[in-house]
């Protein structure tokens, strides 16, 4: 440890502290020059880990028999404990395998489809992490909090960070015109406990999806926390499709890894869980630890540990009813890794070339409620362009052979998406049609036979937020089989592909959204950014430990 003290002495000039080894005591006394913040950052750098082992658990939730009739607190706790019993086994297994953090899914403790009244017995008061609370040691400090106490103890007893999703209730005054009739705000909430059982993060989901039992927070919360193995941000499920908090955490708060509990229902061709979540990690150039609930009847499956360059591990299972734990070692600071993909100018190539000659067999078709412009891949090889509004999509391709009973199309869509007509999408896609009838192009299809020797897809995107997707037959990803070039082309590599369902560039033009949301800063986030006192505590703790 003596060499660390020497290193720190070279850079830090305003703190007196002690570095101790087994037989050496070094006292470093400084003058008054640089700030405590700089010193703390150096300490974090010295003690940081280059990689860490992560776990995510896809949980088959034990659901209540009835979500329309209120139950007692004891009945609610009994159900939640049955689910936590299963999560406990996963948490212990993760710790035994050497994982430093485990993510569990959204709605994992009690399920979904509640009313405001029937969800209430499942909720607890979850305080702001600034209160410095270890529920395992002080379970009654904030009232009746048995779920938080148990989760905290699981983290503490297994020396692992635990990420869980539960419900938070916050009392409000009837004098407040927005206060609900039951006198409480109710939030879909993620909590994080560190390896000592301390509550270090709390996040209230902002973009609810048919969740009438919960309230929308006043503004998006930007929640981060630091560890020896990187800086983490957290949000939930539907949040990933919006600028705040998802993009802001990466772009402005520079997190290394996103923690992502979700209850994701798969929707082909662009929004299966493993497909979009892996694409988001690549497009945003961060790690994403995604834990999905598992419910085959609702098409809920698809969890993974995704690095910027490629999925580390993933799971998609529509055959069984059981849960699944996944492990992978990932870079603590992926943007500094040698495997990190380069920054991409998504429109550079597409705007530099002359569009390929106009096709004679173009037509319109729908993917869900979005009207695409399509053109058929008539030959086994070719160059095609199809446009819609400001977006032109270019495709160069070569099939191994053209299967007689399969049709592929190139499609372009630019506009407000779906029934809501609030989110602006730009999508370039090459996809397999459900049948040789072109009216089926864009419908759900899960198997294919056609292999591609080469493909190159690009588009004249007006946004920098583009997510590259390649989905293979039987809903599989293509790790290490494609890449995005710096000029925005999505291309295959390492030779012949497996049979392809879709190759897509999924763009989100957030500034063209209806009622676009601007970011804000939560107390949890600013705690780790701006408080010199905390930095001094870190310094002193480090000095004592070494």
């Amino acid at each position: 440890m003596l060499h660390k003290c020497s290193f720190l002495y070279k850079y830090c000039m305003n703190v007196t502290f002690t570095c101790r080894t087994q037989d050496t005591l070094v006292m470093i006394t400084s003058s008054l020059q640089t700030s405590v913040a700089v010193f703390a950052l150096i300490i974090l750098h010295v003690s940081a880990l280059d990689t860490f082992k992560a776990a995510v658990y896809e949980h088959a939730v034990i659901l209540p028999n009835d979500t329309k009739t209120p139950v007692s607190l004891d009945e609610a706790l009994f159900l939640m404990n049955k689910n936590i019993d299963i999560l406990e086994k996963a948490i212990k297994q993760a710790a035994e395998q050497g994982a430093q953090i485990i993510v569990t899914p959204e709605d994992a403790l009690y399920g979904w489809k509640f009313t405001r009244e029937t969800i209430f017995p499942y909720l607890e008061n979850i305080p702001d992490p600034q209160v410095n609370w270890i529920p395992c040691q002080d379970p009654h400090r904030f009232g009746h909090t048995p779920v938080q106490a148990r989760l905290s103890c699981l983290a503490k007893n297994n020396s692992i960070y635990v990420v869980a999703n539960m419900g938070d209730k916050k009392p409000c005054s009837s004098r407040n015109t927005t206060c609900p009739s039951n006198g409480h705000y109710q939030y879909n909430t993620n909590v994080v406990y560190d390896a000592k059982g301390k509550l270090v993060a709390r996040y209230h989901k902002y973009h609810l999806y048919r969740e009438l039992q919960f309230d929308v927070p006043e503004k998006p919360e930007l929640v981060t926390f630091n560890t020896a193995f990187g800086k983490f941000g957290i949000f939930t499920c539907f949040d990933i499709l919006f600028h705040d908090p998802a993009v802001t955490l990466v772009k402005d708060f520079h997190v290394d890894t996103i923690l992502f509990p979700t209850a994701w229902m798969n929707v082909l061709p662009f929004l299966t869980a493993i497909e979009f979540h892996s694409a988001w990690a690549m497009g945003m150039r961060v790690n994403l630890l995604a834990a999905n609930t598992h419910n085959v009847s609702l098409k809920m499956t698809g969890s993974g540990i995704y690095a910027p360059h490629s999925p580390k591990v993933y799971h998609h299972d529509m055959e069984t009813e059981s849960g699944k734990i996944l492990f992978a070692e990932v870079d603590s600071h992926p943007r500094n890794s040698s495997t990190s993909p380069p920054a991409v100018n998504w429109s550079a190539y597409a705007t530099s070339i002359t569009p390929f000659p106009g096709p004679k067999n173009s037509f319109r078709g729908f993917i869900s409620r979005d009207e695409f412009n399509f053109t058929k891949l008539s030959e086994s090889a070719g160059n095609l362009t199809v446009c819609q509004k400001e977006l032109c999509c270019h495709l160069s391709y070569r099939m191994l052979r053209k299967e007689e009973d399969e049709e592929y199309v190139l499609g372009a869509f630019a506009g407000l998406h779906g029934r809501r007509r609030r989110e602006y999408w730009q999508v370039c896609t090459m996809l397999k049609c459900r049948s040789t009838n072109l009216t089926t192009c864009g419908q759900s299809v899960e198997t294919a036979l056609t292999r591609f020797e080469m493909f190159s897809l690009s588009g004249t995107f007006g946004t920098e937020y583009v997510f590259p997707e390649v989905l293979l037959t039987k809903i599989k990803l293509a790790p290490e089989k494609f890449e995005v070039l710096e000029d925005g082309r999505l291309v295959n590599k390492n030779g012949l592909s497996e049979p392809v369902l879709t190759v897509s560039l999924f763009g989100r033009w957030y500034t063209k959204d209806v009622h676009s949301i601007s970011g804000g800063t939560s107390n949890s986030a600013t705690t780790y950014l701006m408080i010199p006192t905390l930095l001094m505590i870190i310094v002193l703790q480090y000095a004592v430990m070494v």
Side-chain angles (χ1 to χ4, degrees), residues 200-460:
V200 294
R202 179 198 67 187
Y203 170 73
H204 296 138
K205 184 180 180 181
Y206 189 73
H207 297 281
L208 302 179
Y209 188 82
R210 300 177 182 175
E211 298 169 74
L212 300 180
Q213 68 270 35
F214 291 122
D215 296 298
V216 177
E218 184 178 355
K219 61 182 180 179
E221 298 174 348
L222 300 167
V223 176
T224 71
F225 62 96
N226 287 300
T227 73
F229 45 96
K231 183 176 183 179
F232 290 78
I234 188 166
F235 52 81
T236 313
C237 202
F238 199 37
D239 288 326
I240 200 172
L241 284 164
F242 299 88
H243 188 276
D244 293 317
V247 172
T248 299
L249 283 175
V250 177
K251 288 293 186 178
D252 297 341
F253 287 72
H254 308 290
V255 298
D256 300 303
T257 301
I258 292 292
L259 307 172
F260 185 62
T262 184
W264 192 279
M265 292 178 285
N266 292 307
V267 181
L268 289 164
F270 308 128
L271 291 176
T272 65
I274 61 172
E275 174 188 27
F276 185 73
H277 301 160
S278 61
W280 194 89
M282 181 174 283
M284 296 305 299
R285 303 171 68 213
V286 293
N287 300 320
L288 180 71
L289 311 186
N292 200 0
T293 53
H294 188 83
N295 188 296
V296 172
S297 65
L298 293 176
K299 297 184 178 180
M300 287 180 177
T301 185
S303 301
I305 299 173
Y306 306 108
H309 64 283
S310 185
K312 289 287 188 176
V313 61
Y314 72 92
H315 174 71
H316 177 97
D317 171 24
M318 288 291 290
E319 303 298 325
T320 72
E321 298 291 343
S322 58
K324 178 74 172 181
I325 191 167
L326 305 175
F327 298 96
E329 186 168 341
V330 294
D331 292 316
S332 300
H333 307 285
R335 282 182 287 268
N336 298 334
S337 170
S338 59
T339 60
S340 178
V344 176
N345 182 337
W346 288 102
S347 62
Y349 175 79
T351 56
S352 71
I353 67 169
T354 302
F356 300 123
K360 297 179 181 179
N361 53 356
S362 61
F363 61 99
R364 293 183 179 183
F366 284 88
I367 298 180
S368 186
R369 298 172 185 267
D370 299 332
E371 188 176 39
F372 276 66
N373 289 344
F374 287 124
T375 185
K376 186 170 75 168
L377 279 60
S378 300
E379 308 295 333
S380 59
N383 301 294
L384 299 172
T385 294
V386 64
C387 301
Q388 186 177 108
K389 297 180 182 177
E390 73 284 344
L391 178 67
C392 284
C393 304
H394 308 308
L395 174 68
S396 297
Y397 71 96
R398 185 170 60 252
M399 301 174 183
L400 177 63
R401 66 176 179 272
K402 192 175 188 306
E403 300 288 341
E404 292 297 325
D405 59 349
E406 293 191 338
E407 293 287 359
Y408 283 77
V409 292
L410 172 66
F413 172 76
L416 294 172
H417 159 69
R419 180 178 58 189
R420 290 158 49 96
R421 299 295 178 197
R422 294 180 183 177
E423 299 89 45
Y424 200 94
W425 289 13
Q426 287 186 314
V427 180
C428 291
T429 183
M430 178 189 76
L431 57 81
K432 184 201 168 190
C433 303
R434 189 176 182 88
S435 72
T436 55
N437 184 339
L438 295 182
T439 62
T440 68
C441 297
Q443 295 180 13
S444 175
V445 57
E446 297 187 5
T447 59
L449 296 173
T450 301
R451 299 169 183 263
F452 285 79
E453 293 183 300
M454 182 275 288
F455 61 76
S456 173
L457 180 66
S458 61
T460 57

